[in-house]
Amino acid sequence: MNRVRGFGRTRYALLGVLRFGPATGYEIKKLLTETTAHFWNESFGQIYPTLETLTREGKIEIVSERKSNQRGSKRYRLLEKGEWELRSWIQDHKVILQPGRNELLLKLFFSRSEDVAFLRPQLNEYREMIEEYLNTFRAFHSEDGSEQLPEDARKLIGTTIDYGIAATEMQIAWCERTLATMDSIG
Amino acid sequence: MNRVRGFGRTRYALLGVLRFGPATGYEIKKLLTETTAHFWNESFGQIYPTLETLTREGKIEIVSERKSNQRGSKRYRLLEKGEWELRSWIQDHKVILQPGRNELLLKLFFSRSEDVAFLRPQLNEYREMIEEYLNTFRAFHSEDGSEQLPEDARKLIGTTIDYGIAATEMQIAWCERTLATMDSIG
DNA sequence: TTTTCCATGTAACCAGTTACATGATTAT
DNA sequence: ATAATCATGTAACTGGTTACATGGAAAA
């Protein structure tokens, strides 16, 4: 049946990363986990097939291939056609909210006082996890490989960092309030 | 192959809703979209097969069936075995963060000054959507069908509402800052 | 009477993760 | 030498959405 792959938004994530410069699939994944992890992720199972599709479509091309006869590393470069597709996606006005699931909130929604003793450590862990999260990507963005980027791009990337920080702070404050609420229960 | 369905967290969402009292699949969906939409959703394509599975497993049962020979409405009730499973999930300590994707942030991350003119209306729409969102579920929770719920449960549900409000306010503030940043670009 | 809401169910599809197989290169 | 990291790729699975088919009950 030759399933056609790569028709989610994965392709845009890849084209977008390649806008910063040529990269291998491995490097794309690394950059995403280091910078966009709080709002976007891709797995290798998506990345490699999509890179192939994009190449076939003439959106990107291989710039260097270390082929020691079989599996070797391939570095991809964004082509004009790919940049076009990327920009038409960016400019496309339809906005959709994808709320995203939060298992801890679901648990809270169904819980009773008997459960509170078990929820407290979960909340603490949740809090620690997002705090650590924040520190990691904050660290990356302050060392920063984006010195050579134009000012406007840096500012726009800054808004996504701002979002991450604000979201984390909001969640930490919420954790504290929720722990206090729990104290008032059991 | 007789695919086994319903082994995500969908089952817990359904068991959880039935903890409030018997309901039909349709009513479960309705309750979820009215109360947990900002952190949890289920589609009919998941709900109905999972209700069947849970019934087969003896976690829930049909309490009333209006069967006008074929398709009729079925009202389900939580059984002890189901409540057990629900509580063991609630009490299970492993917490995982599922960041959830945000397409608008991804766009911002890859954008340049030429794109700003197109992003501004998207940000405005984003802002309006989450504002409306907040109003809807705030309204539902203030009229509220939860009067008969015990105090502790109401407090815990309150923490999820609190989360929704805090998240929305944070996002609105972020939208404003981001629009200001855009003004400083183009 | 006609529209809206209540209600169930399935098939097709799609997006995405996980686990695995494979091996080169670099650092300790 | 060996461990860590770089690197690609695929198969199996899973979780989930969408579209569709079907029709009863209530309200306008």
Side-chain angles (χ1 to χ4, degrees):
Chain A
M1 248 282 115
N2 206 359
R3 298 242 285 117
V4 182
R5 284 132 181 278
F7 274 95
R9 289 169 203 85
T10 298
R11 55 196 303 102
Y12 305 119
L14 304 189
L15 293 171
V17 171
L18 292 179
R19 206 182 201 189
F20 296 127
T24 66
Y26 190 87
E27 288 167 344
I28 290 172
K29 172 84 194 288
K30 205 185 157 203
L31 188 139
L32 288 174
T33 53
E34 274 168 343
T35 56
T36 66
H38 58 302
F39 63 87
W40 206 273
N41 278 297
E42 295 292 347
S43 64
F44 286 128
Q46 291 280 102
I47 291 173
Y48 289 117
T50 305
L51 283 172
E52 216 196 292
T53 308
L54 289 169
T55 308
R56 270 206 320 273
E57 292 173 1
K59 311 283 169 62
I60 61 178
E61 65 172 9
I62 298 172
V63 277
S64 76
E65 196 167 359
R66 174 192 1 117
K67 64 151 100 178
S68 36
N69 67 42
Q70 62 257 87
R71 253 195 273 287
S73 96
K74 296 171 190 166
R75 174 159 277 103
Y76 295 88
R77 185 172 76 87
L78 186 61
L79 294 178
E80 218 171 307
K81 217 172 149 188
E83 183 135 28
W84 249 93
E85 195 187 358
L86 178 67
R87 291 204 57 203
S88 83
W89 163 70
I90 288 175
Q91 298 181 358
D92 184 21
H93 72 287
K94 57 177 172 298
V95 178
I96 21 162
L97 295 182
Q98 309 132 281
R101 293 175 155 193
N102 187 321
E103 193 173 5
L104 186 53
L105 288 178
L106 194 64
K107 286 182 177 185
L108 287 167
F109 194 79
F110 298 138
S111 291
R112 301 274 197 274
S113 56
E114 319 93 76
D115 305 310
V116 166
F118 298 91
L119 290 169
R120 226 187 302 258
Q122 291 180 54
L123 251 169
N124 280 316
E125 208 190 315
Y126 183 86
R127 194 206 135 113
E128 272 162 44
M129 283 167 86
I130 51 171
E131 233 162 1
E132 206 184 318
Y133 222 62
L134 178 75
N135 290 333
T136 316
F137 89 94
R138 222 180 216 168
F140 181 83
H141 280 291
S142 57
E143 54 164 271
D144 212 320
S146 71
E147 263 91 47
Q148 69 275 43
L149 283 177
E151 170 76 1
D152 54 345
R154 283 222 310 287
K155 275 188 180 174
L156 289 167
I157 289 174
T159 67
T160 71
I161 301 170
D162 176 20
Y163 186 97
I165 293 169
T168 307
E169 280 167 355
M170 173 253 129
Q171 283 178 82
I172 288 171
W174 170 81
C175 280
E176 253 138 52
R177 288 197 303 277
T178 301
L179 283 166
T181 303
M182 284 182 171
D183 289 339
S184 82
I185 294 172
Chain B
M1 248 282 117
N2 206 0
R3 298 244 285 117
V4 181
R5 285 131 180 280
F7 274 95
R9 292 169 200 85
T10 298
R11 54 196 303 105
Y12 305 120
L14 304 188
L15 294 171
V17 172
L18 292 178
R19 205 182 202 187
F20 297 127
T24 65
Y26 190 87
E27 288 166 344
I28 290 172
K29 172 84 193 286
K30 206 185 156 202
L31 188 138
L32 288 175
T33 52
E34 275 168 341
T35 56
T36 66
H38 58 301
F39 63 87
W40 206 272
N41 279 296
E42 294 292 347
S43 65
F44 287 128
Q46 291 279 100
I47 291 173
Y48 289 118
T50 306
L51 283 171
E52 218 197 291
T53 308
L54 289 168
T55 308
R56 270 207 320 271
E57 293 173 1
K59 310 281 170 62
I60 61 177
E61 66 172 9
I62 298 170
V63 279
S64 77
E65 196 167 0
R66 180 203 345 126
K67 66 152 98 178
S68 38
N69 68 40
Q70 61 257 88
R71 253 195 274 286
S73 96
K74 296 169 190 168
R75 174 158 277 101
Y76 294 88
R77 185 172 75 86
L78 186 60
L79 295 178
E80 218 170 309
K81 217 170 147 187
E83 183 135 27
W84 251 93
E85 195 187 358
L86 178 67
R87 293 205 56 206
S88 83
W89 163 70
I90 288 175
Q91 298 180 359
D92 184 20
H93 72 288
K94 57 175 172 296
V95 179
I96 22 163
L97 295 183
Q98 309 132 281
R101 292 175 156 194
N102 187 321
E103 194 174 4
L104 186 54
L105 288 178
L106 193 65
K107 286 183 177 185
L108 287 168
F109 194 79
F110 297 137
S111 291
R112 300 277 196 274
S113 56
E114 318 93 78
D115 306 310
V116 166
F118 299 91
L119 290 169
R120 226 188 301 259
Q122 291 180 52
L123 251 169
N124 279 317
E125 208 190 314
Y126 183 86
R127 194 207 136 114
E128 272 164 42
M129 283 168 87
I130 50 172
E131 232 162 3
E132 206 184 319
Y133 220 63
L134 177 75
N135 290 333
T136 316
F137 90 93
R138 221 180 216 168
F140 181 84
H141 280 291
S142 57
E143 52 164 273
D144 212 322
S146 72
E147 263 91 47
Q148 69 275 42
L149 283 179
E151 171 75 0
D152 55 345
R154 283 222 310 287
K155 276 188 180 174
L156 289 167
I157 289 173
T159 67
T160 70
I161 301 170
D162 177 20
Y163 186 96
I165 294 168
T168 308
E169 281 167 354
M170 173 252 129
Q171 283 177 85
I172 288 170
W174 171 80
C175 280
E176 254 138 52
R177 287 197 304 277
T178 301
L179 283 166
T181 303
M182 284 181 173
D183 288 340
S184 82
I185 293 173

